Amino acid sequence: MIKALRGTKDILPDEIGLWQYIESSGRDIFNIYGYKEIKTPVIEDASLFIRSIGDATDIVQKEMYVFSDRGGRSIALRPEATASIVRAYIENSLFQAGGVSKLFYIGPMFRSERPQQGRQRQFYQIGVEAIGSDNPLIDAEVVALAAGFLEQLGIKKFHIKLNSLGCQKDKISVMERHKKSFKPYLEKLCETCKGRFDKNVLRIFDCKEPSCKTIAENIAVESALCGDCADHFEKVKKGLDIIGIEYAVDYKIVRGLDYYTKTVFEITQNDLGAKDAICAGGRYNNLIKELDGNDTPAIGFAFGMERLALALEKGSMPHALRPRANVFVAVAGEGFCGEAFKLLYSLRRSGIAGEIDYDTKSLKAQMRKAEKLGAKFVVILGEEEIKNKKVIVRDMENHSQKEVELEKIIIELRR
Ligand code: HAM
């Protein structure tokens, strides 16, 4: 039997209600904040990600799915969407509209990681990008939007960790400081991290080797921002304070992608265990220029949708997410199937979700089926009723039933 590839999953009909709930809640709140949806291809020129995410990162070095197409081009399955959106922003001259381009996206991403709960090789992200402003209040707005999305979903027990990596110059001095801190432990680092020490010391913080993790956890890190970036970060924090969003500053939030500058943040959630980052984001003020666009500042975030679904399943999942039939049409005798079919058709045409079981013979079995489907009402058609142009409507919640004229059934059910 051919099975789904390791690290990929079918999202089955029983689970889809949860996914649709996440998507529609996202669409609602993004709309309120002025974001419009964008869809970009899942395949891109591999160099887009190598140039933006960085060739020393885990994503590019170990996790990206890259293949040569028939024309010999190097193609990647997108490991994330920010680079694709920046490409689309430049290619389609979205900057011509002026102001801030506020975009959101929902879709699959691909990373060849070791699969475990909440970590897959094909996973879904829901995220936003605000391109065109360096105003610190935009940073506060973006963080507030991420928190608001979680609140709207009913996900609690989340924590926002905030940091600023500063401008390009600051990043260099931050790296120098980190190099100094890691130097005494150089021999104890894994082989990959020894390479990272020279190439990009920040990546040591992403290492999953236990010994490197312990070293990274124990070194002391302080902020090293220039005056402008320190002022920007103060204003971001003040913006969040004004609207009462709680956060903790954590200088060890360095992010696993190279394009970040200034504000970076991660949101963790208690119910997720080791894979607890439910959302991550930050500013990438140099990326648009680096990808041959104008010098344009930007900021965004992405949530992992599997992790959102997991948090909802473990915590306060809103009830009634299962798709349910409002009305079940039951027949007391095979001869009335035609009448039932016609009634069901008119119910559905007037927007009432209805179901029938064409194959079950006994009324008792049909009632059981109606219960299983969570139907609110069962409409029963029998010989007597057809003759009198009436049906029986049974309220499945309070177990009462009454006769209703066939003509008035839609009005009655709507009521
Ligand atoms: P990221 O931290 O690589 O950032 O991913 C964002 C989120 O995607 C993570 O916090 C996690 O919830 C989820 N995620 C990542 N990898 C996996 C995986 N293998 N399985 C399941 N979930 C996963 C980015 O992708 C940036 N593009 C975010 C961003 C947008 N920054 C600015 N704008």
Side-chain angles (χ1 to χ4, degrees):
M1 196 184 97
I2 301 171
K3 292 191 167 171
L5 295 175
R6 194 166 130 78
T8 70
K9 257 177 102 181
D10 302 309
I11 301 163
L12 299 172
D14 269 356
E15 302 163 85
I16 208 78
L18 194 55
W19 286 73
Q20 287 168 343
Y21 168 69
I22 295 169
E23 286 188 19
S24 64
S25 304
R27 287 197 163 90
D28 286 350
I29 194 160
F30 297 157
N31 189 26
I32 290 170
Y33 278 73
Y35 287 77
K36 294 213 172 83
E37 188 163 3
I38 179 167
K39 283 190 187 291
T40 60
V42 293
I43 50 171
E44 297 272 3
D45 189 323
S47 63
L48 172 67
F49 302 111
I50 300 169
R51 274 172 65 183
S52 53
I53 299 171
D55 56 4
T57 58
D58 271 4
I59 298 181
V60 167
Q61 278 196 344
K62 302 187 197 161
E63 298 165 4
M64 198 155 74
Y65 284 98
V66 185
F67 62 95
S68 288
D69 72 358
R70 285 168 205 273
R73 285 166 289 250
S74 183
I75 308 284
L77 292 182
R78 64 176 180 195
E80 59 110 43
T82 308
S84 306
I85 286 168
V86 167
R87 190 226 8 95
Y89 172 84
I90 301 167
E91 191 173 337
N92 299 290
S93 311
L94 297 187
F95 48 85
Q96 277 177 352
V100 182
S101 291
K102 291 175 156 188
L103 307 163
F104 80 86
Y105 53 91
I106 303 172
M109 310 294 154
F110 307 84
R111 294 182 196 176
S112 175
E113 294 190 83
R114 198 167 53 78
Q116 61 184 69
Q117 193 181 48
R119 193 207 281 156
Q120 289 180 198
R121 291 183 173 168
Q122 174 172 336
F123 60 99
Y124 289 78
Q125 281 187 345
I126 180 164
V128 307
E129 310 295 346
I131 308 176
S133 170
D134 187 44
N135 194 313
L137 286 181
I138 293 265
D139 303 42
E141 190 190 282
V142 164
V143 175
L145 172 56
F149 180 36
L150 285 170
E151 272 160 22
Q152 169 147 333
L153 286 169
I155 296 178
K156 300 187 176 80
K157 297 180 285 183
F158 62 84
H159 309 277
I160 301 171
K161 290 190 249 172
L162 195 68
N163 189 19
S164 174
L165 299 176
C167 54
Q168 208 57 39
K169 258 197 187 151
D170 291 345
K171 276 178 89 175
I172 294 165
S173 60
V174 166
M175 287 214 231
E176 286 310 316
R177 281 187 186 218
H178 286 312
K179 267 192 163 174
K180 257 192 212 144
S181 321
F182 277 114
K183 196 148 191 201
Y185 306 98
L186 193 55
E187 281 314 305
K188 293 195 179 127
L189 294 174
C190 71
E191 285 312 306
T192 318
C193 282
K194 279 182 188 147
R196 285 170 169 155
F197 182 84
D198 288 320
K199 266 182 139 177
N200 186 344
V201 68
L202 293 185
R203 297 286 71 87
I204 299 177
F205 287 102
D206 309 331
C207 188
K208 286 152 195 145
E209 286 292 322
S211 56
C212 299
K213 264 181 124 171
T214 314
I215 295 169
E217 269 162 27
N218 289 325
I219 63 158
V221 182
E222 7 163 334
S223 177
L225 300 178
C226 66
D228 279 355
C229 290
D231 180 51
H232 188 275
F233 193 39
E234 278 312 307
K235 287 181 174 149
V236 175
K237 290 189 283 183
K238 202 162 166 216
L240 289 169
D241 294 339
I242 290 170
I243 52 175
I245 303 280
E246 284 179 30
Y247 58 87
V249 173
D250 182 344
Y251 298 133
K252 287 188 183 167
I253 300 291
V254 295
R255 309 284 301 116
L257 304 92
D258 282 352
Y259 52 60
Y260 290 110
T261 52
K262 291 190 178 174
T263 313
V264 285
F265 64 99
E266 280 179 10
I267 306 182
T268 56
Q269 208 275 338
N270 290 6
D271 294 330
L272 294 182
K275 286 277 125 282
D276 62 356
I278 201 163
C279 170
R283 266 202 176 278
Y284 45 96
N285 282 357
N286 300 329
L287 184 59
I288 292 131
K289 197 166 83 187
E290 277 164 15
L291 292 176
D292 305 321
N294 299 329
D295 192 0
T296 314
I299 180 167
F301 65 68
F303 278 86
M305 290 179 75
E306 284 75 11
R307 296 183 193 183
L308 286 171
L310 214 61
L312 282 167
E313 274 163 14
K314 294 200 171 177
S316 49
M317 174 146 77
H319 62 282
L321 280 179
R322 213 154 41 98
R324 50 187 281 173
N326 275 333
V327 179
F328 188 90
V329 179
V331 285
E334 246 183 284
F336 315 113
C337 273
E339 293 292 336
F341 185 64
K342 193 172 152 195
L343 173 61
L344 183 65
Y345 180 70
S346 57
L347 289 182
R348 286 172 173 166
R349 276 179 63 94
S350 26
I352 297 172
E355 204 39 275
I356 193 167
D357 187 347
Y358 296 116
D359 296 323
T360 309
K361 302 228 159 47
S362 85
L363 189 58
K364 215 170 164 187
Q366 291 178 69
M367 296 306 283
R368 273 202 301 272
K369 180 92 189 228
E371 214 157 297
K372 204 170 150 210
L373 287 172
K376 277 193 208 133
F377 299 99
V378 178
V379 177
I380 307 167
L381 283 100
E383 191 177 356
E384 234 0 70
E385 289 82 27
I386 303 275
K387 215 165 50 195
N388 301 329
K389 295 215 175 306
K390 285 184 174 161
V391 288
I392 293 169
V393 176
R394 185 170 168 79
D395 185 326
M396 297 296 276
E397 265 153 35
N398 63 24
H399 304 292
S400 64
Q401 60 183 48
K402 62 178 173 189
E403 262 193 352
V404 176
E405 280 178 47
L406 198 50
E407 256 185 2
K408 296 195 176 138
I409 182 75
I410 288 170
I411 299 167
E412 177 64 25
L413 286 171
R414 281 232 173 96
R415 195 170 63 78

